[in-house]
């Protein structure tokens, strides 16, 4: 089945130690998103890619970076994790036209910062 | 700016009874409206959407939603609730065309269905 895969499902990192979360998709969608979700709150968009075009949200901290080496993969890098970065990180994809296509979400990576 | 509100943190309903989860929105253009469901420790799962056309849209698992332009609402409904419907529900909006690909999610409503 076509899907969005996130690895790892659970990640523990130390305060200040860089961490990378990965996302892959078999849907061949143009758009990939990264969201941060804390304690069952609304997912907060960090950034998205439309093909190779990177779109950063204005309030996303510089500590968060992303890479998309090809259509299938997208990475979230947290350069110096703080305790406040502990959250569920959700990757999502959608088709790449402005016709109201829904998003397909991965299962998420739960990040713990110690 | 686009925004979405879910006025109820929690909705409780007995199994077999109809359920409604409320959502109102604000956009500057035409709205694309979505409902997603989230089960514990899982990603969001798409239920249904309104793009254009009929105001009543039907989606997965027997859910439906009614778009009301005058009231700027998009309430989620189901005629007969199941215990397995218990989950966290998010309403979401995209502003067409000014919003691009950015989707704004509501704060979520937790649905409890009691047997």
């Amino acid at each position: 089945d076509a899907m969005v895969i996130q690895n790892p499902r659970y990640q523990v990192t130390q305060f200040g130690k860089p961490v990378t979360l990965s996302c892959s998709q078999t849907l061949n969608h143009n758009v990939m998103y990264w969201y941060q979700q804390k304690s069952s709150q609304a997912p907060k968009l960090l950034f998205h890619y439309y093909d190779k075009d990177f779109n950063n949200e204005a309030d996303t901290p510089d500590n968060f970076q992303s890479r998309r080496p090809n259509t299938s993969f997208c990475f979230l890098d947290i350069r110096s994790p703080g305790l406040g970065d502990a959250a569920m990180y959700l990757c999502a994809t959608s088709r790449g036209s402005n016709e109201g296509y829904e998003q397909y979400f991965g299962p998420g990576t739960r990040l713990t910062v110690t | 700016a686009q925004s979405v509100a879910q006025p109820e943190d929690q909705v409780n309903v007995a199994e077999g009874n109809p359920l409604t989860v409320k959502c109102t929105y604000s956009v500057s253009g035409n709205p694309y409206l979505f409902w997603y469901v989230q089960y514990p420790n899982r990603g969001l799962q798409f239920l249904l959407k309104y793009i254009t056309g009929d105001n009543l849209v039907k989606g997965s698992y027997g859910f439906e939603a009614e778009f009301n332009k005058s009231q700027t609402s998009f309430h989620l409904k189901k005629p007969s609730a199941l215990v397995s419907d218990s989950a966290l529900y998010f309403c979401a909006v995209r502003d067409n065309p000014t919003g691009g690909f950015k989707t704004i999610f509501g704060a979520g409503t937790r649905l409890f269905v009691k047997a």
Side-chain angles (χ1 to χ4, degrees), chain A residues 9 31 33 35 37 40-43 45 48 50 57 88 90 95-103 105-107 110, chain B residues 32 34 36 38 41-46 49 51 88 90 94-98 100-103 105-108 110:
Chain A
R9 292 291 311 277
V31 191
Y33 310 77
Y35 291 88
Q37 186 183 28
S40 298
Q41 297 175 16
L45 182 64
H48 75 274
Y50 182 15
E57 292 301 303
M88 175 76 88
L90 298 169
R95 294 182 186 177
S97 67
N98 195 21
E99 294 180 13
Y101 289 115
E102 64 274 18
Q103 295 180 36
F105 284 80
R110 184 168 296 282
Chain B
Y32 293 149
F34 307 84
Y36 291 86
Q38 186 176 33
N41 294 314
R42 303 294 300 275
L44 279 66
Q45 184 177 340
F46 170 73
K49 66 181 178 183
I51 304 301
L88 186 58
F90 290 100
R94 270 175 55 192
D95 194 348
N96 174 38
T98 61
F101 290 101
K102 182 170 183 175
T103 300
F105 288 83
R110 190 166 296 280

Side-chain angles (χ1 to χ4, degrees), chain B residues 55-71:
Chain B
N55 290 343
L56 183 65
V57 293
K58 295 184 183 297
S60 306
Y61 311 120
F63 284 94
E64 57 189 30
E66 186 165 12
F67 170 64
N68 188 316
K69 187 172 184 178
S70 63
Q71 297 185 5

Side-chain angles (χ1 to χ4, degrees), chain A residues 66-87:
Chain A
S66 186
R67 297 169 283 133
R68 188 179 186 186
N70 54 51
T71 299
S72 300
F73 285 87
C74 195
F75 300 97
L76 170 62
D77 301 309
I78 308 176
R79 294 193 295 187
S80 182
L83 298 179
D85 296 328

Side-chain angles (χ1 to χ4, degrees), chain B:
Chain B
Q2 57 201 45
S3 65
V4 59
Q6 295 180 241
E8 303 155 317
D9 291 336
Q10 183 172 311
V11 169
N12 297 307
V13 64
E15 187 174 34
N17 284 0
L19 69 87
T20 298
V21 182
K22 296 180 180 177
C23 172
T24 59
Y25 66 90
S26 175
V27 297
S28 56
N30 294 315
Y32 293 149
L33 293 157
F34 307 84
W35 276 101
Y36 291 86
V37 60
Q38 186 176 33
Y39 298 97
N41 294 314
R42 303 294 300 275
L44 279 66
Q45 184 177 340
F46 170 73
L47 279 179
L48 50 78
K49 66 181 178 183
Y50 171 82
I51 304 301
T52 187
D54 289 341
N55 290 343
L56 183 65
V57 293
K58 295 184 183 297
S60 306
Y61 311 120
F63 284 94
E64 57 189 30
E66 186 165 12
F67 170 64
N68 188 316
K69 187 172 184 178
S70 63
Q71 297 185 5
T72 62
S73 66
F74 189 57
H75 300 332
L76 181 69
K77 300 182 179 183
K78 187 173 182 181
S80 179
L82 298 172
V83 172
S84 57
D85 293 330
S86 299
L88 186 58
Y89 290 80
F90 290 100
C91 181
V93 65
R94 270 175 55 192
D95 194 348
N96 174 38
T98 61
F101 290 101
K102 182 170 183 175
T103 300
I104 300 296
F105 288 83
T109 298
R110 190 166 296 280
L111 174 67
F112 286 101
V113 182
K114 187 176 180 181

